[in-house]
Amino acid sequence: MCGIVAYVGEKKATPILIDGLKRLEYRGYDSAGIAVFGKEKIECEKKKGRIRVLEDSLSVDYPEGNAGIAHTRWATHGAPSDLNAHPHWDCNKKILIVHNGIIENYIDLRKKLKKAGHAFNTETDTEILAHLIEEHLKNEKSLFEAVRKALNEVHGTYGIAVMSEEHPGEIIGAKNGSPLIIGIGDDEHFIASDVSALLPYTRRVVYPRDGEIIRITKDAFEVRSIKSKEEATSKVEKVEWSSDMATKKGYPHFMLKEIFEQPLVIRNAIAGRIIPEEGLAHLGGLNYTVKELLQVDRIMICAMGTAYYAGLVGKYMIEELLGIPVDIENASEFRYKRIILGKNTMSFVISQSGETADTIAALREIKRKGHRVLGVSNVAGSTIARDTDGGIFVHAGPEIGVASTKAFVAQIAVLVLFAVKMGRHRDMTVEQGKEITEALVKIPAQIESILEKSDEIKKIAEKYKDVEDFLYMGRKFNFPIALEGALKLKEISYIHAEGYPAGEMKHGPIALIDKTFPALFVAPKDSVYDKTINNIQEIKAREGDVLAIGSESDTELPKMVEDFIAVPETIEVLEPLLTVIPLQLLSYHLAVLRECDVDKPRNLAKSVTVE
Ligand code: M6R
């Protein structure tokens, strides 16, 4: 939520900052702004709307200075407008700041600063920071110290970049609860919310920790504690992702590219992690001894959104394969309730970005109670990747589309590996381990065959493009898929969709069904197929249209329903990896047909870094 980029070096800052913003646009896109050192002063430009609106508004004589900061916004305090867009400044327009996060005590600070004579122009919480730094600069020569002292008065979350006209050639950053990294180039340094902004310029980065303040100049960077000013240890790390991975590669949208990447994504997620002859999975990063794995008597998974639904698939799968009870918790609820974890409970957090505020808070709460937490994450260097005690990287590559697709299948694939590993240390036989891993290895090719049906699914989408509601249903392993399919549909096409366990239908949702309210069933030929067919018949008896996702070998279901999309057969536990694909394509095509902005749906941002 909100993207920040800052540059100091020898090159012209403006093109680097605008390019960085475009690469971060998925983090927020309701307004954007930039501030660059000109010949005599800092020039700031900010606009409501997308980054291209800002870019178009930059005059030909916009400064060509070598240092600047920029921001793309997802509004929290204050509606999207030119005025509320970042950067924000102090009374004299000499100190400029961009911010991602929420300053929780901004009302008190604002009152205090107003009393001291500061005048405010915006409705944002961020503006108080500029004035607070201005106040400290009255007694401080160093911008670094003024920012540090100001931050010691602040409660809340922030990733910031600050520049001052009186302090050319340096930019101060700081981080607490919001993502921020330092990029190291040759005679240049960067600050950014995440690595995607920096990939064309450098792959050498430092990941500051919460509570740390940064100073970058052309030649150097330093990281210190905000509280004590003590120098922090900072390791330069190499980013594995390439710049090319974060481009559309000829696809019209990132989401479509990411849907089509899924066969490769699963191959990467499982690569080197299966020992075929032993029906075994190898996961080096769990940091649990076999003895400890054997002691686990309960598993708790905590996540948000699509990652939560991947966790729900994990629950069904682990309970079925291991006989260990699994709780799946919504992190935003979990963090505020009484946490009851046994000493042999194994805790997981799942997060594509590794920066979701609620999931991080849940992780910290579990750790505070003295328990270990494992992470399932896609982003090396993210807060979750660093703050967990071990875990599994999904290796899906950068996911840019706001609607999560490839991360979901990668998360499920690694949970399968986890279940096999745990199972094989327990009572899972070699045969069963082999059956699962062999079926998993076949999944990428099976997904490829579903992707070939994209045009067929588009034709189905054309029939449904004007509906305003949809009921998605499935049972057992496909109940989470109904939830995930409904989430995909609502978030990018704005069609109201609800996901339900099919068995719940008669307890209320069926009242909604009429000719204008279609139902989608995920009904492959598995252990609950007959039960789901009964539900389909009940919808048909009430004149509802049905679109079904079913097995290729099913000759009966296509005759019962208006529309049918066939998926190849696999073992029941792996069905979600296949049944979700047509649902992703269906929502994609519906969104395009309804002329929605697929990669940047309204009101959303890729990574929810505020509560
Ligand atoms: O980065 P995370 O996996 O922690 O993100 C969790 C959710 O915010 C995310 O899955 C969200 O629901 C997506 N927009 C779904 O497509």
Side-chain angles (χ1 to χ4, degrees), residues 24 35 149 218 235 258 360 430 437 459 480:
L24 291 179
K149 287 184 175 160
K218 175 172 88 65
K235 193 167 130 226
E258 287 157 8
I360 292 171
V430 189
T437 49
K459 282 207 183 92

Side-chain angles (χ1 to χ4, degrees), residues 341-362:
L341 297 173
K343 79 174 182 345
N344 294 323
T345 303
M346 182 184 227
S347 302
F348 273 101
V349 289
I350 305 181
S351 172
Q352 185 284 128
S353 61
E355 297 295 352
T356 297
D358 285 314
T359 311
I360 292 171

Side-chain angles (χ1 to χ4, degrees), residues 304-307 350-356 359 402-404 411 484 487-488 491 604-608:
M304 298 297 289
T306 289
I350 305 181
S351 172
Q352 185 284 128
S353 61
E355 297 295 352
T356 297
T359 311
V402 166
S404 185
Q411 286 156 355
E484 169 61 6
L487 173 61
K488 284 294 86 88
E491 71 178 328
L604 290 175
K606 178 69 181 161
S607 162
V608 184

